[in-house]
Amino acid sequence: MSAPAGLPPRPAAAAFSPVGPGGSREAAAPAGGAAHCHNGPVQSQMQFPPGYGSHPPNYSAPSGHYSQVPNKAAASHLDHQYRASYYPGYYSAPAQNVMTPSVGSNVLNAQGSQQLYNKTPPHTGGASDGPVQGAISSASYLHMSAQQSYSAFDNHYSTSVSSSVASQGFPLNSDHYAMPVVSGAMYPSVSYPPAAAGSAYGQTFTSQSLPAVGQFKETNAFSSQSTSVPHSLQQHVPAGYNTTLSTISSAQSVQDNLCRNLPGSVAKVNNQIKTGGIDSSQPVHSVSQNVAFTKPGVGTSASSAVVSSVRSPAPSLSSQPSSSPSVTQSPELALQEGMQYGGYVNNQASSAPAPLSSSSDDEEEDEEDEEAALDSSSTTSSASPVLNNYDALEGGGYPDTRSVTSSPVPAPSVPQTSKASKPFGYGYPALQPGYQNATPTTPVQPSNPGHHPGFQHYPQHYPGVNQLSSSLGSLSLQHSQQPESLRPVNLTHDRNILPVSSVPAPVPNLNSDLRKLNCSPDSFRCTLTNIPQTQALLNKAKLPLGLLLHPFRDLTQLPVITSSTIVRCRSCRTYINPFVSFIDQRRWKCNLCYRVNDVPEEFMYNPLTRSYGEPHKRPEVQNSTVEFIASSDYMLRPPQPAVYLFVLDVSHNAVEAGYLTIVCQSLLENLDKLPGDSRTRIGFITFDSTVQFYNLQEGLSQPQMLIVSDIDDIFLPTPDSLLVNLHESKELIKDLLNALPNMFTNTRETHSALGPALQAAFKLMSPTGGRISVFQTQLPSLGAGLLHSREDPNQRSSTKVVQHLGPATDFYKKLALDCSGQQTAVDLFLLSSQYSDLASLACMSKYSAGCIYYYPSFHRTHNPAQAEKLQKDLKRYLTRKIGFEAVMRIRCTKGLSIHTFHGNFFVRSTDLLSLANVNPDAGFAVQMSIEESLTDTSLVCFQTALLYTSSKGERRIRVHTLCLPVVSSLADVYAGADVQAVVCLLANMAVDRSVSSSLADARDALVNAVVDSLAAYMSTASNLQQSMLIAPNSLKLFPLYILALLKQKAFRTGTSTRLDDRVYAMCQMKSQPLVHLMKMIHPNLYRIDKLTDESTIHVNDRVVPQPPLQKLSAEKLTREGAFLMDCGSIFYIWIGKNCDNSFIKDVLGYPNYASVPQKMTQLPEVDALSSERTRSFISWLRDSRPLSPVLQVIKDENPAKTDFFQHLIEDRTEAAFSYYEFLLNIQQQVCK
Amino acid sequence: MAFTFAAFCYMLSLVLCAALIFFAIWHIIAFDELRTDFKSPIDQCNPAHARERLRNIERICFLLRKLVLPEYSIHSLFCIMFLCAQEWLTLGLNVPLLFYHLWRYFRCPADSSELAYDPPAVMNADTLSYCQKEAWCKLAFYLLSFFYYLYCMIYTLVSS
């Protein structure tokens, strides 16, 4: 994440510096700014990292972009062009058109940019611009000049990339924004091959299978499209490019010119860069160039212009770059970009031939085959596997594909770049080629949006850039601060604070090298990306300090390292990571405890480059997320096999609900996909008032049921044959699963002896450890652990005390601890229609590191939505990765200490979490305090090490390392606040508080968190008027999110909430990763009845529209529209009464509004454009998360509409404030 | 020189105070044991060790829980004795701790059934450090009061 972010700022900075000088010519500014941008990324990294200081310039640069965007919007025909550029498919046909219009468009752009530019400096421009953009985004976003630029970016992004990406830009500086956005784009692209701009490029240029690859490496995409081609790249690549173009359009001649020109000028530039001597700078350069390319891709308008321009104006490139006239430049710029691109490609190609190909291949696989990839890598010998993985990383990096989804984290790309640049100032000559390939791709996109014009300047600036040392660049970056994230926002005034798409994670203010190396925010996030120096400062800021972890996230690319010695610090046992410093060839200094360690002999050899004596180039030191295959030191007993035990409720209630059929069916379907090896074992227990075991021993003709009715003293009838080898007894298991749903159809047994069944399960599992999946449908009523109903339905909407949030008995907690000691996790599926005391039952999962699923009012036929959800959850549950007998340790730099953990686990010693199972959907949070002042260090690091046994019986260690800067001023602390992480951590703390104290306390604490932090902020900013409610830009969403939390099921009062629902929401808050939790707290609302191609991204040959985010307020709902609400685990589609009939007909498949049924959970496949768009948008949203959400169509008179409306948290309800009232309330308290 | 009831109280409390000091020391050791796992890091990651460690934790927590009531009752016995002996100053010194004990004992976390020192809860670094601080403070208090009782005992024996 951090890396991409890092890149963006630089561009801005670069833009700034160039602009500054050129400030006199405003008209020129846009173009110049853009040009600078190109240069900027490169330069900025090097020279002006601080770019922040130079906001205005940055803005101007973006404005240039901005202008382009509007232009596009204005000129309808442009759209075609854009599309053409974006989508390969379109590309061929429209290409010709593009060419002609492109010139015109360029002109338009130039003019537009000028206008915009003028407007922007005053900052008033935003509003006016907004309308221009119109389709692109709601005007609301554009308020600030800075925002304008952002919005422009956003628009680009949103169009080309995923919506989520765009939002990122807001919180940070414009530069930063741009960067993160880009990165975000990158990621999505990776995961969703077509999504990112990069991919678009790749497609446009070459429609080959590269999608994923292309995204990662923009430049690579060109060359890489030519994955097969790669090595000969420099000349070939351009050639290839041209050829593709030529085939596409008739303007071959132009292309030729371009090609020639490009190779000439661009190549020179590139060459300079390469030769420049500064290794770090090179990657940057490449990046910048890439940026230029990407921009076109990203910004639809921009891209189209670029593409077209490139072909025709090619010749101009060489001449213009230096002069960089403002108006005329735009087309030229585009050309230049194109040229650069070509040049860039060449460079990259030359530099990074081999690695690219490997990485690209890996990436392509991305979606489904993580495990496979991992396994394969692991199996290979130490050197080779590392290489593969490593390469993959370089190319695609971390592809956070699935999990990342909405939250765009630039980090993955960063690490790659960092590799190239090196944190420690080492030049890595050998590696660079590979790195360059990797780096250029990602960074490029981000920088592009703002920087199109930059290219012209580029040549001029370039030498200077080269001269700058990377260290200087880093220094400047560090000084740079200030930024957009501190821009005061008047909350009561600015109603539209939501970003266009999702909210990005802030990027730590590190130097570019570190930023690139840093861990992806999806895996590892800190509430404060600038760590305060002392506890006193932290207390002043009134913000919680903590980490949010998603350590076992599905990653498509992960370097796996097999080596006999795992290098760790001798005193604190920290794993070697990218943030350690090498004192010399033989010694390294731990970044957590500062001990100096020896580098072992084996570590001197770098399997990646097959060279000796470069320990700093080892993959462990090049990636902040790595996985080691542990040696036998790490295990005392042989790794356990995968063991799964299913404990099923078969009482009357359960049979009535009909869940057995679904469970058995899902199991049958996924039996072969259960993670495991040849030793995998499986078993079944059913229970009602007795406990039934199933003998599945191989050789039996059919499964044997053994009933134990002595539930007070449960025993195992035949301990050996109840858990059987999955492969040996597969037929018997299948027989059983087929028979099970019908075996109990006539049962009259209403009691449920859950406790005894669990005891039996524990006994069965204790020799091996493994996973117990419990399906329960009612309150346990017999034997140990029986529970009584504690809920008083009349108290459901009480505003006073909510009781019974804690367990009624410690039976389940004790059982969970026993299970945890035996490395057994208990997962609970609660499918009940009435109160089942989840507060007590959940303990069995909470302390054994299991997970909890709850399906209120589950019924297979009466509640198809829940049934479908169960089905989907089960599919994911059964097939997802699993790690057994895991432990997780979180280490942090001396001076910091971790004091509270949140999640499902058992704390074994103060920093060691015991996780019987770990699953990819589990998130954790920790709270930290600063015990010693951090004045003598400028960086702090956190390292999470997760040691687990894979389902294949390998002991593995997954290590994430996060590096953050230390700051000494309060303003910096606020600038680095990560509002989403803060809110998630507060939610976790509030859950604890409501259990240990009371719900009212927890609610007060939440409100106080906002009041205190805003008051503290306002007291630091002396120039602010006290009568207004001001928040720093980084925290502008804070009150909104807190209000959303207060209206969340877990914490709301006054609205009827069933106790189990409330407890379940609390369990989710504790155990969900941030991305998912944020959707739960603050769902995304989109208007989908008028999806256009205005801002679309291209994923897997599908066009995915990117509607802007809407406020969660009924004022946004119109009767004429249809809206989609994305709550993470469920999608609501709300249809207005007067919704366009054609929409209903095309998308829903019904002739009119009245005929739409009440319970509709699927969209029909209608052959219409709007249907296609809607479905592709929804499936795109779905693909971005592990759990496939259920869809529910809601009409106005539907009883389910309360489910929908309860999420409109900005509105007033009988029991709760509207957002505005809430703000006033806060303001009142702040002013007190 | 007379053997008054007050003198008896002080003598008895002297003995019991020694017991309380032992309790406090044991608490400190126990929390230290909970806090740090004395195995080597690699051993810690060993699944087999997990069971052992968990059993250890549960045993310690069980003992801690067992000790709560004796400690509290011994201390309240002091207070009652000093009340009867009309040693107001000594009583006044002990009353704050008495109230603290009462508060600790009766403050049920929400409606969970068990007392303090629930393994998952106590393993929280926050709780653990609080408990440890509490144990140190009590140790100091008991030590000081031990010498105070000694002084008072001699004083009452001599003065009367």
Side-chain angles (χ1 to χ4, degrees), chain A residues 573 633 635-637 790 804 806-808 810 813 817-818 821-823 847 885 887 889 898-900 906-910 912 947 955 995-996, chain B residues 34-37 41-42 44-51 53-55 57-58 65 109-114 118-120 123-126 128:
Chain A
R573 309 298 298 165
D633 294 344
M635 46 185 132
L636 199 74
R637 61 171 186 178
R790 297 188 290 168
H804 309 307
D810 60 356
K813 188 185 283 184
L817 291 184
D818 288 343
Q822 304 294 346
Q823 305 298 342
Y847 300 107
E885 43 188 12
V887 289
R889 194 187 289 275
I898 292 170
H899 64 83
T900 307
F906 177 69
V907 186
R908 228 162 66 192
S909 63
T910 45
L912 187 70
L947 171 65
R955 209 71 176 130
V995 175
S996 68
Chain B
L34 285 181
R35 177 185 293 269
T36 38
D37 198 348
I42 285 184
Q44 280 184 18
C45 301
N46 193 308
H49 171 62
R51 207 167 313 152
R53 166 76 180 160
L54 200 93
R55 247 183 242 141
I57 291 172
E58 286 193 312
R65 237 178 283 175
D111 52 354
S112 74
S113 59
E114 76 270 338
D118 168 41
M123 287 307 290
N124 204 324
D126 231 5
L128 208 51

Side-chain angles (χ1 to χ4, degrees), chain A residues 623-766:
Chain A
N623 297 285
S624 57
T625 298
V626 293
E627 188 155 290
F628 296 96
I629 297 186
S631 58
S632 52
D633 294 344
Y634 289 81
M635 46 185 132
L636 199 74
R637 61 171 186 178
Q640 70 164 60
V643 181
Y644 305 109
L645 178 63
F646 294 87
V647 179
L648 307 164
D649 184 357
V650 291
S651 62
H652 178 74
N653 200 25
V655 172
E656 175 67 27
Y659 85 92
L660 262 183
T661 320
I662 296 173
V663 172
C664 291
Q665 199 57 41
S666 300
L667 254 175
L668 274 175
E669 281 165 13
N670 296 301
L671 213 49
D672 296 327
K673 295 183 205 151
L674 282 178
D677 53 11
S678 60
R679 303 178 300 159
T680 307
R681 295 161 75 185
I682 193 168
F684 296 90
I685 292 177
T686 56
F687 65 96
D688 40 33
S689 64
T690 59
V691 180
Q692 297 100 36
F693 298 89
Y694 296 88
N695 183 348
L696 299 167
Q697 194 63 340
E698 193 188 6
L700 289 176
S701 59
Q702 60 176 37
Q704 229 175 31
M705 188 203 278
L706 307 158
I707 301 177
V708 174
S709 54
D710 183 7
I711 56 170
D712 293 329
D713 183 19
I714 202 83
F715 62 93
L716 301 180
T718 54
D720 299 337
S721 52
L722 299 179
L723 275 177
V724 295
N725 187 294
L726 174 63
H727 303 285
E728 289 167 4
S729 303
K730 188 168 271 180
E731 287 312 310
L732 281 177
I733 293 165
K734 282 185 176 168
D735 287 348
L736 176 64
L737 288 175
N738 282 320
L740 210 49
N742 301 321
M743 278 161 74
F744 299 92
T745 40
N746 297 320
T747 185
R748 301 229 176 133
E749 196 53 73
T750 54
H751 284 295
S752 159
L754 176 65
L758 284 174
Q759 286 172 327
F762 169 65
K763 278 186 187 168
L764 199 51
M765 295 295 278
S766 52

Side-chain angles (χ1 to χ4, degrees), chain A residues 474-602:
Chain A
S474 65
L475 283 177
S476 58
L477 271 179
Q478 289 223 341
H479 291 293
S480 68
Q481 249 288 343
Q482 276 329 314
E484 175 64 10
S485 53
L486 270 184
R487 184 172 55 79
V489 175
N490 187 340
L491 292 173
T492 45
H493 254 217
D494 285 347
R495 297 300 308 278
N496 299 300
I497 52 174
L498 270 189
V500 174
S501 62
S502 73
V503 180
V507 178
N509 184 25
L510 294 165
N511 73 44
S512 57
D513 300 338
L514 294 180
R515 195 176 300 185
K516 288 172 208 154
L517 284 170
N518 227 342
C519 193
S520 151
D522 286 334
S523 308
F524 212 149
R525 241 162 121 161
C526 185
T527 55
L528 302 176
T529 53
N530 293 330
I531 303 288
Q533 217 164 40
T534 60
Q535 181 71 33
L537 187 60
L538 176 61
N539 292 342
K540 249 190 245 167
K542 304 276 185 195
L543 289 169
L545 176 61
L547 300 171
L548 286 123
L549 305 168
H550 192 180
F552 203 53
R553 205 159 58 89
D554 285 332
L555 297 168
T556 53
Q557 297 300 324
L558 175 72
V560 179
I561 294 160
T562 313
S563 124
S564 57
T565 54
I566 295 175
V567 182
R568 302 172 69 174
C569 172
R570 290 179 71 89
S571 73
C572 68
R573 309 298 298 165
T574 298
Y575 295 84
I576 197 167
N577 60 68
F579 309 106
V580 302
S581 45
F582 284 94
I583 293 167
D584 53 39
Q585 283 279 320
R586 285 289 174 181
R587 289 180 303 160
W588 61 279
K589 189 173 171 193
C590 174
N591 53 337
L592 268 66
C593 67
Y594 308 118
R595 186 190 201 274
V596 176
N597 295 276
D598 291 336
V599 176
E601 186 60 29
E602 192 188 338

Side-chain angles (χ1 to χ4, degrees), chain A residues 251-325:
Chain A
Q252 294 179 349
S253 64
V254 174
Q255 292 179 349
D256 292 342
N257 292 334
L258 287 172
C259 298
R260 293 168 188 171
N261 293 334
L262 289 170
S265 62
V266 174
K268 288 176 183 176
V269 173
N270 294 331
N271 292 335
Q272 290 176 353
I273 294 169
K274 290 179 180 178
T275 58
I278 299 169
D279 297 341
S280 62
S281 67
Q282 291 180 352
V284 174
H285 290 293
S286 64
V287 171
S288 65
Q289 293 173 352
N290 291 333
V291 171
F293 274 108
T294 54
K295 286 181 177 181
V298 174
T300 55
S301 64
S303 65
S304 65
V306 172
V307 172
S308 62
S309 64
V310 169
R311 291 164 189 168
S312 61
S316 65
L317 288 172
S318 62
S319 63
Q320 289 180 350
S322 62
S323 65
S324 70

